[in-house]
Amino acid sequence: MAGTAGLVVRAVQSGLVVFRGRVGRQVWVVVRRGDGLTVVYGGVYGGVSGGLKAGQFVRPSDPLGVADTTIYVGVRRGDTPIDPAAVMCLDSLTG
């Protein structure tokens, strides 16, 4: 999602944060849902994400961080990518 710089990025669905950190030049937040799907958020920086750590549980609309110029959202079942729109509503991603 382009053009989102500075907006608060929020968890779309509940899950356990299994990774929050930098990979290359990007900050990533990875949330594992109870149904086995993994939601990956990229381009999530600073602010509220500084206190977010692996092992924390997030609920829908919990803040994950502040958006860079572009946010990446991906969903996987194991190693298989799934269209995020097929399994969640992305309307509540920023706000």
Side-chain angles (χ1 to χ4, degrees), residues 2 7 13 30 38 44 67 71 73 85-86 89 93:
L7 295 178
Q13 295 179 326
V30 180
T38 301
V44 180
I71 303 168
V73 178
C89 175
L93 181 62

Side-chain angles (χ1 to χ4, degrees), residues 9-90:
V9 178
R10 300 184 178 280
V12 177
Q13 295 179 326
S14 298
L16 182 69
V17 176
V18 294
F19 178 81
R20 186 230 171 251
R22 189 172 296 277
V23 177
R25 301 173 88 181
Q26 291 270 334
V27 174
W28 296 85
V29 177
V30 180
V31 177
R32 183 155 303 129
R33 297 179 2 174
D35 60 2
L37 293 180
T38 301
V39 183
V40 180
Y41 303 85
V44 180
Y45 288 92
V48 291
S49 71
L52 188 67
K53 297 186 183 353
Q56 284 184 250
F57 188 82
V58 292
R59 291 178 175 75
S61 80
D62 281 356
L64 301 177
V66 176
D68 191 16
T69 55
T70 302
I71 303 168
Y72 168 86
V73 178
V75 178
R76 294 184 173 271
R77 182 176 306 280
D79 290 331
T80 305
I82 297 172
D83 178 5
V87 294
M88 69 177 84
C89 175
L90 298 176

